[in-house]
Structures are given as structure tokens and as C-alpha cells.
Amino acid sequence: MFFGILPFLLFLLYVQFIFTGMLEKDAFQREKNHLQVMVKSFSGQFEKVLKFGESYAARPSLRVSLVETDWKEVTKHLENLVTISGVIKSALVLSPEGNVLVQYPEGECLRKVM
């Protein structure tokens, strides 16, 4: 009797193995698609923020404040940058050595970055 149902049990095991593999492959593909959408969204947002920061850094008044080392004025520029960006939470200016010269809000960034 056992040998009579053995082929049927093997068939069910085979079907379960195939079906499980298909489900795993489908779940993996859905997860991969989801991650691709997230990466595209993130990279698009990152590019927007990067371009915004670049255009902000090109402001003549900010450059003058940096050259004159007027940190109070530079802090006002950083505060404005954070306020109007909507997504940037903190901003800082670094020396060539990686030391933080000025930051907004105070204490939000690292003292030495590099």
C-alpha cells in the first residue's frame, strides 16, 4: 500500500518544490522592482538637492561673506538655505582640512568631518 502512494507523494513534493520556487522568484522580482523604483526616486531627489545647493553656493553675497570670514553672515545664509530648501536639515562650511568653520543649526553637524 505504501508503494502505491509513494509516486503520488513524490509528485506532490515535486509540485510543492516547483510552486515554492516560483513564489520565491516572484517575491524576489517584486522586491527588486520595488528597490529599483526607490533608487530612482532617491537619486532624483538627491540630484535636485545637489543642484539647489550648488546654485545656493554660487550666490555672490555668500561668497563675499566667506572671503571676509564673516561667520555671522555665513550662518544667516546657512539658516536661509535650511529654511527654504524644505529637505535640508543642517548645513556647514568646512576648511580644506575638514574642520567645521560654521554650521547651522549649531551642534547638529560634526566638529571635524575628515
Side-chain angles (χ1 to χ4, degrees), residues 10-71:
L10 289 175
F11 174 73
L12 287 178
L13 185 62
Y14 175 75
V15 168
Q16 179 184 4
F17 178 74
I18 296 297
F19 187 69
T20 302
M22 288 172 41
L23 287 177
E24 287 175 355
K25 186 177 179 180
D26 184 53
F28 176 77
Q29 187 62 42
R30 277 186 275 142
E31 190 171 314
K32 181 181 170 185
N33 292 343
H34 181 69
L35 287 173
Q36 287 174 338
V37 168
M38 287 176 53
V39 166
K40 284 181 183 178
S41 173
F42 177 76
S43 61
Q45 290 175 357
F46 183 74
E47 284 185 32
K48 286 178 186 176
V49 170
L50 188 60
K51 287 181 182 187
F52 177 76
E54 287 173 349
S55 67
Y56 200 91
R59 287 183 171 189
S61 58
L62 174 59
R63 289 179 177 222
V64 167
S65 299
L66 288 168
V67 169
E68 295 175 353
T69 62
D70 183 356
W71 302 130

Side-chain angles (χ1 to χ4, degrees), residues 51-103:
K51 287 181 182 187
F52 177 76
E54 287 173 349
S55 67
Y56 200 91
R59 287 183 171 189
S61 58
L62 174 59
R63 289 179 177 222
V64 167
S65 299
L66 288 168
V67 169
E68 295 175 353
T69 62
D70 183 356
W71 302 130
K72 199 173 203 179
E73 190 62 29
V74 172
T75 301
K76 289 179 186 177
H77 281 282
L78 296 181
E79 179 181 5
N80 184 260
L81 169 71
V82 169
T83 302
I84 65 173
S85 76
V87 293
I88 297 173
K89 302 297 179 203
S90 60
L92 65 152
V93 175
L94 301 174
S95 70
E97 297 80 33
N99 295 314
V100 177
L101 300 174
V102 63
Q103 61 186 357

